[in-house]
Amino acid sequence: MELNRCTVQQPTTTIYRLHMFLHSLIMLALVYYRLSHLLYLENVLTLQAFAWVLITLGEVCFIVKWFFGQGTRWRPVVRDVFPDNITYQDSQLPAIDVMVFTANPKKEPIVDVMNTVISAMALDYPTDKLAVYLSDDAGCPLSLYAMVEACSFAKLWLPFCRKYGIKTRCPKAFFSPLGEDDRVLKNDDFVAEMREIKLKYEEFQQNVNRAGESGKIKDDVVPDRAPVIKIINDRKIEKEKSDNDLMEIPMLVYVSRERRTQRRHHFKGGSANALLRVSGIISNAPYLLVLDCDFFCHDPTSARKAMCFHLDPKLSPSLAYVQFPQVFYNVSKSDIYDVKIRQAYKTIWHGMDGIQGPVLSGTGYFLKRKALYTSPGLKDEFLGSPEKHFGSSRKFIASLEEDNGYIKQEKVISEDIIEEAKTLASCAYEDGTQWGEEIGYSYNCHLESTFSGYLLHCKGWTSTYLYPDRPSFLGCAPVDMQGFSSQLTKWVAALTQAGLSRFNPLTYGMKSRIRTIQCLCYAYLMYFSLYSWGMVLHASIPSISLLLGIQVYPEVYDPWFLVYVIAFISTILENMSESIPEGGSVKVWWMEYRALMMMGVSSIWLGGVKAIIEKIIGTQGEKLYLSDKAIDEEKLKKYEKGKFDFQGIGMLAVPLITLSLLNLVGFMVGANQVIITMRFENVLGQLLISSFFVFVVVSVVIDVVSFLKDS
């Protein structure tokens, strides 16, 4: 019986390939037009020639970005899974270590973090094959206290979920509209128990909040600290207390690695590698589920669905990870910031899945632990000189050996193991090793997951993508311009830095075991800032040329003008084809397109500029923006009404307002010229470009100016 099925999307794939062929002819024609006319200019030192060169560069940016993007449209696939066909008994299923990451209790509310932890503990998977770790990179004492409280509540919550077959196993979600289906059509016993559970949940919340508000327990980041490892729930102890399977809960471990202000800590990548080592000597599950603290488990069967790929003998030998989409529960109908990033999760990831697999997306993925240590098909690749690569811990090196695997807990975890775990979580442990280079998550990019996934593909590993009807994981999206723009700037800067490094897909990737079309997909992501340079040039040069009386587009009666019109229509249709069929509409497409244009001349562009500057001065920066997961109710109301919130937007507003005003003035001057001369054929192209930009973003700019004026 098949565990999974892969289906090539048809007729979508055929249409995509036909469009690639036709659109590439148009792009080649535009390049020929620009270069041939540039050569015929009498004087290349004039403003006319300079404007022509700049607009040509802008078009080349669009063309190159489009070319890279065709890799994601070459062979899009969709996958289905059949968990009921898994023939393994529960006792035979491979173990899973769940890793939840948090870094700042002020931006990531502790009660919400605990909801994610509890939802992970409640996965529909054998309890003795599940261990849940919280990596607290803030070292916050309140988080440790909250873990103990969460464990106490979980001892009531998990049996309740199992008894009544609850699907929404995050308590916060269950008691919200998200859990409405699980709360209806139940008997009186269920209602009575649910009321009791709700009271216990409220008590749990109050205990955590009061502990923080009272000041008895510190609720802030501890920047300079020793490592802390606490076993909150020991499976062996719980097993001795009760033989009732409904009452069992998984192992629960709190980990706070050592942090010293004078040492580099490598952000989430360093935290993830420390947790890899610690979990390696405590449970050492062959598979990992990685979650950001704001992404809770929404489908308890997600682990079994992932195993439909990992247990498939045809896929498993080279399969590194199974990626699930990032879906957000607080997205409004209008989604004015395009926080869903539908192009990525509905188009690009499916396209990459048809080649070598999707990008490792930071959260919601089931990863083979071994993949972070070696290449597919190789056994014990680095065990010839283990200390050089993995460090001096004998217990950890022993955990890597082929015959060891998962540590079945036969006895209570000893103090010796805890002390060894603290050594593995210390700052000095990685000194002189290959952690962050050849071993574990890479330190060569701030987007440690995405870049590590790219390196896994370079080693020859593959990945798969599953987009189930019921979201397996739900997260919290930014609901204001500052939050999403800052996050996007961080992503673009990190990806551009990777594209400018020695690991770029055009040289390093092409020489590795990654497939050529997969290289194009990664080039599309790492050089996405090309789009912003094309946008900035097209949002400035045509308007400036109107002001100076310079012509940069063919006249209306010139056949080349028709080529530009066809190119524009073809581009819009391609964009719409990726949005509307995937559950969208013309309105949704318009909102996404407007957001892309806005971000293209602001956060995406600034992210690209930041990466180039840091490359020139030789640094990747030591500060990393962490998005605020605490939702402001006023901002949420604005977002749900489709109103932009520009509080804290700062420098991001400058290019947006400047280019909008420039296009507005350029359009007015050009229109005035047409009225006076009664001739439009030589400036219509520039007028259309300026008017289109103004039309797309004018309402947003008015909101920005109004906000700044009120501020």
Side-chain angles (χ1 to χ4, degrees), residues 107-149:
K107 291 190 173 185
E108 299 164 337
I110 291 178
V111 170
D112 290 351
V113 174
M114 294 307 123
N115 269 275
T116 299
V117 170
I118 293 168
S119 72
M121 296 174 71
L123 284 171
D124 180 17
Y125 208 73
T127 307
D128 63 334
K129 294 295 183 76
L130 196 63
V132 180
Y133 294 81
L134 176 69
S135 173
D136 178 18
D137 220 23
C140 177
L142 185 60
S143 293
L144 176 55
Y145 169 80
M147 281 278 281
V148 176
E149 291 291 316

Coordinates of all heavy atoms in Angstrom, one line a residue, residues 107-149:
K107 N 8.8 40.1 23.4 CA 8.2 40.1 22.1 C 7.4 38.7 21.8 O 6.6 38.7 20.9 CB 9.3 40.2 21.0 CG 9.9 41.6 21.0 CD 10.7 41.8 19.8 CE 11.2 43.3 19.7 NZ 12.0 43.6 18.4
E108 N 7.7 37.7 22.6 CA 7.1 36.4 22.4 C 6.4 36.1 23.8 O 7.1 35.5 24.6 CB 8.1 35.4 22.0 CG 8.8 35.7 20.7 CD 10.1 34.9 20.4 OE1 10.7 34.4 21.4 OE2 10.4 34.8 19.3
P109 N 5.2 36.4 23.9 CA 4.5 36.2 25.2 C 4.7 34.8 25.7 O 4.4 33.8 25.0 CB 3.0 36.5 24.9 CG 3.1 37.5 23.8 CD 4.3 37.0 23.0
I110 N 5.0 34.7 27.0 CA 5.4 33.3 27.5 C 4.2 32.4 27.5 O 4.4 31.2 27.2 CB 6.0 33.5 29.0 CG1 7.3 34.2 28.9 CG2 6.1 32.2 29.7 CD1 8.0 34.5 30.2
V111 N 3.0 32.9 27.8 CA 1.8 32.0 27.8 C 1.6 31.4 26.4 O 1.3 30.2 26.2 CB 0.6 32.7 28.3 CG1 -0.7 31.9 28.1 CG2 0.7 33.0 29.8
D112 N 1.8 32.2 25.4 CA 1.7 31.8 24.0 C 2.7 30.7 23.7 O 2.5 29.7 23.0 CB 1.8 32.9 23.0 CG 0.6 33.8 23.1 OD1 -0.4 33.5 23.8 OD2 0.6 34.9 22.5
V113 N 4.0 30.9 24.2 CA 5.0 29.9 24.0 C 4.7 28.6 24.6 O 4.8 27.5 24.0 CB 6.4 30.5 24.6 CG1 7.4 29.4 24.5 CG2 6.8 31.7 23.9
M114 N 4.1 28.7 25.8 CA 3.7 27.4 26.5 C 2.5 26.7 25.7 O 2.4 25.5 25.7 CB 3.2 27.8 27.9 CG 4.4 28.3 28.8 SD 5.8 27.1 28.8 CE 7.1 28.3 28.2
N115 N 1.7 27.5 25.1 CA 0.6 26.9 24.3 C 1.2 26.1 23.1 O 0.7 25.0 22.8 CB -0.3 28.0 23.7 CG -1.5 28.3 24.6 OD1 -2.5 27.6 24.6 ND2 -1.3 29.3 25.5
T116 N 2.3 26.6 22.5 CA 3.0 25.8 21.5 C 3.6 24.6 22.1 O 3.5 23.5 21.4 CB 4.1 26.7 20.8 OG1 3.4 27.9 20.2 CG2 4.8 25.9 19.8
V117 N 4.2 24.7 23.2 CA 4.8 23.5 23.9 C 3.7 22.5 24.2 O 3.9 21.3 23.9 CB 5.5 23.9 25.2 CG1 6.0 22.7 26.0 CG2 6.7 24.8 24.8
I118 N 2.6 22.9 24.7 CA 1.6 21.9 25.1 C 1.0 21.3 23.8 O 0.7 20.1 23.8 CB 0.4 22.7 25.9 CG1 1.0 23.1 27.2 CG2 -0.8 21.8 26.0 CD1 0.0 24.1 28.0
S119 N 0.8 22.0 22.7 CA 0.3 21.5 21.5 C 1.2 20.4 20.9 O 0.8 19.4 20.3 CB 0.0 22.6 20.5 OG 1.2 23.1 20.0
A120 N 2.5 20.6 21.1 CA 3.5 19.7 20.6 C 3.5 18.4 21.5 O 3.6 17.3 21.0 CB 4.9 20.3 20.7
M121 N 3.3 18.6 22.8 CA 3.2 17.4 23.7 C 1.9 16.6 23.3 O 1.9 15.4 23.6 CB 3.1 17.9 25.1 CG 4.3 18.6 25.6 SD 4.1 19.2 27.3 CE 4.1 17.7 28.3
A122 N 0.9 17.2 22.8 CA -0.4 16.6 22.5 C -0.4 15.9 21.1 O -1.5 15.5 20.7 CB -1.5 17.6 22.7
L123 N 0.7 15.9 20.4 CA 0.7 15.2 19.1 C 0.2 13.8 19.2 O 0.5 13.1 20.2 CB 2.1 15.2 18.5 CG 2.6 16.6 17.9 CD1 4.0 16.5 17.5 CD2 1.7 17.0 16.7
D124 N -0.5 13.3 18.2 CA -1.0 11.9 18.1 C 0.1 11.0 17.7 O 0.3 10.6 16.5 CB -2.2 11.8 17.1 CG -2.7 10.4 17.0 OD1 -2.4 9.6 17.9 OD2 -3.4 10.1 16.0
Y125 N 1.0 10.7 18.7 CA 2.2 9.9 18.4 C 2.5 9.2 19.7 O 2.2 9.7 20.8 CB 3.3 10.8 18.0 CG 4.4 10.2 17.1 CD1 4.1 9.9 15.8 CD2 5.6 9.8 17.6 CE1 5.0 9.3 15.0 CE2 6.6 9.2 16.8 CZ 6.3 9.0 15.5 OH 7.2 8.4 14.6
P126 N 3.1 8.0 19.6 CA 3.4 7.3 20.9 C 4.2 8.1 21.9 O 5.2 8.7 21.6 CB 4.3 6.1 20.4 CG 3.9 5.9 19.0 CD 3.5 7.3 18.4
T127 N 3.7 8.2 23.1 CA 4.3 9.1 24.1 C 5.7 8.8 24.4 O 6.6 9.6 24.6 CB 3.5 9.0 25.4 OG1 2.1 9.2 25.1 CG2 3.9 10.0 26.4
D128 N 6.1 7.5 24.4 CA 7.4 7.1 24.7 C 8.4 7.3 23.5 O 9.6 7.1 23.6 CB 7.5 5.6 25.1 CG 7.0 4.7 24.0 OD1 6.3 5.1 23.1 OD2 7.5 3.5 24.0
K129 N 7.8 7.8 22.4 CA 8.6 8.1 21.2 C 8.7 9.6 20.9 O 9.1 10.0 19.9 CB 8.1 7.4 20.0 CG 8.2 5.9 20.0 CD 9.6 5.4 20.0 CE 9.7 3.9 20.0 NZ 9.4 3.3 18.7
L130 N 8.2 10.4 21.9 CA 8.1 11.8 21.7 C 8.8 12.5 22.9 O 8.6 12.2 24.1 CB 6.6 12.2 21.7 CG 6.3 13.6 21.1 CD1 6.7 13.7 19.7 CD2 4.8 13.8 21.3
A131 N 9.7 13.5 22.6 CA 10.3 14.3 23.6 C 10.2 15.8 23.1 O 10.4 16.1 21.9 CB 11.8 14.0 23.8
V132 N 9.8 16.7 24.0 CA 9.6 18.1 23.7 C 10.6 18.9 24.4 O 10.7 18.9 25.6 CB 8.2 18.5 24.0 CG1 8.0 20.0 23.6 CG2 7.1 17.7 23.3
Y133 N 11.4 19.7 23.6 CA 12.4 20.6 24.2 C 12.0 22.0 23.9 O 11.6 22.4 22.8 CB 13.8 20.3 23.5 CG 14.4 18.9 23.8 CD1 13.9 17.8 23.1 CD2 15.4 18.8 24.8 CE1 14.5 16.6 23.3 CE2 15.9 17.5 25.0 CZ 15.5 16.4 24.3 OH 16.0 15.2 24.5
L134 N 12.2 22.9 24.9 CA 12.1 24.3 24.7 C 13.5 24.9 24.8 O 14.2 24.8 25.9 CB 11.2 25.0 25.8 CG 11.1 26.5 25.7 CD1 10.4 26.9 24.4 CD2 10.5 27.1 26.9
S135 N 13.9 25.5 23.7 CA 15.2 26.2 23.8 C 14.9 27.7 24.1 O 14.4 28.4 23.2 CB 15.9 26.1 22.4 OG 17.0 26.9 22.4
D136 N 15.2 28.1 25.3 CA 15.0 29.5 25.7 C 16.3 30.3 25.6 O 17.1 30.3 26.5 CB 14.5 29.5 27.2 CG 14.2 30.9 27.7 OD1 14.1 31.8 26.9 OD2 14.2 31.0 28.9
D137 N 16.4 31.0 24.5 CA 17.7 31.7 24.3 C 17.7 33.1 25.0 O 18.6 33.9 24.9 CB 17.9 32.0 22.8 CG 19.4 31.8 22.4 OD1 20.1 31.1 23.1 OD2 19.8 32.4 21.4
A138 N 16.6 33.3 25.8 CA 16.6 34.5 26.6 C 17.1 34.2 28.0 O 17.4 35.0 28.8 CB 15.2 35.1 26.7
G139 N 17.0 32.9 28.4 CA 17.4 32.5 29.7 C 16.5 33.0 30.8 O 16.9 33.3 31.9
C140 N 15.2 33.2 30.4 CA 14.3 33.9 31.3 C 13.8 32.9 32.4 O 13.2 31.9 32.1 CB 13.1 34.4 30.4 SG 11.8 35.1 31.4
P141 N 14.0 33.3 33.6 CA 13.5 32.4 34.7 C 12.0 32.1 34.7 O 11.5 31.1 35.1 CB 13.9 33.2 36.0 CG 15.1 34.0 35.6 CD 14.8 34.4 34.1
L142 N 11.2 33.1 34.2 CA 9.8 33.0 34.2 C 9.4 31.9 33.2 O 8.4 31.2 33.4 CB 9.1 34.3 33.8 CG 7.6 34.3 33.8 CD1 7.1 33.9 35.2 CD2 7.0 35.6 33.4
S143 N 10.2 31.7 32.1 CA 9.9 30.7 31.1 C 10.1 29.3 31.8 O 9.3 28.4 31.5 CB 10.8 30.8 29.9 OG 10.5 32.0 29.2
L144 N 11.1 29.2 32.6 CA 11.3 27.9 33.3 C 10.1 27.6 34.2 O 9.6 26.5 34.3 CB 12.6 27.9 34.0 CG 12.9 26.7 34.9 CD1 12.9 25.4 34.1 CD2 14.3 26.8 35.6
Y145 N 9.7 28.6 35.0 CA 8.5 28.5 35.9 C 7.3 28.1 35.1 O 6.5 27.2 35.4 CB 8.3 29.8 36.6 CG 7.0 29.8 37.4 CD1 6.9 29.2 38.6 CD2 5.9 30.5 36.9 CE1 5.7 29.2 39.3 CE2 4.7 30.5 37.5 CZ 4.6 29.9 38.8 OH 3.4 29.9 39.5
A146 N 7.1 28.8 33.9 CA 5.9 28.5 33.1 C 5.9 27.1 32.5 O 4.9 26.5 32.3 CB 5.9 29.5 31.9
M147 N 7.1 26.6 32.3 CA 7.2 25.2 31.8 C 6.7 24.2 32.8 O 6.0 23.2 32.5 CB 8.7 24.8 31.4 CG 9.2 25.4 30.1 SD 8.7 24.3 28.7 CE 10.0 23.0 28.8
V148 N 7.0 24.4 34.1 CA 6.6 23.6 35.1 C 5.0 23.6 35.2 O 4.3 22.6 35.4 CB 7.2 24.0 36.5 CG1 6.6 23.1 37.6 CG2 8.7 23.8 36.4
E149 N 4.5 24.9 35.1 CA 3.0 25.1 35.2 C 2.4 24.4 34.0 O 1.3 23.8 34.1 CB 2.7 26.6 35.2 CG 3.1 27.3 36.5 CD 2.2 26.8 37.7 OE1 1.0 26.7 37.5 OE2 2.8 26.5 38.8

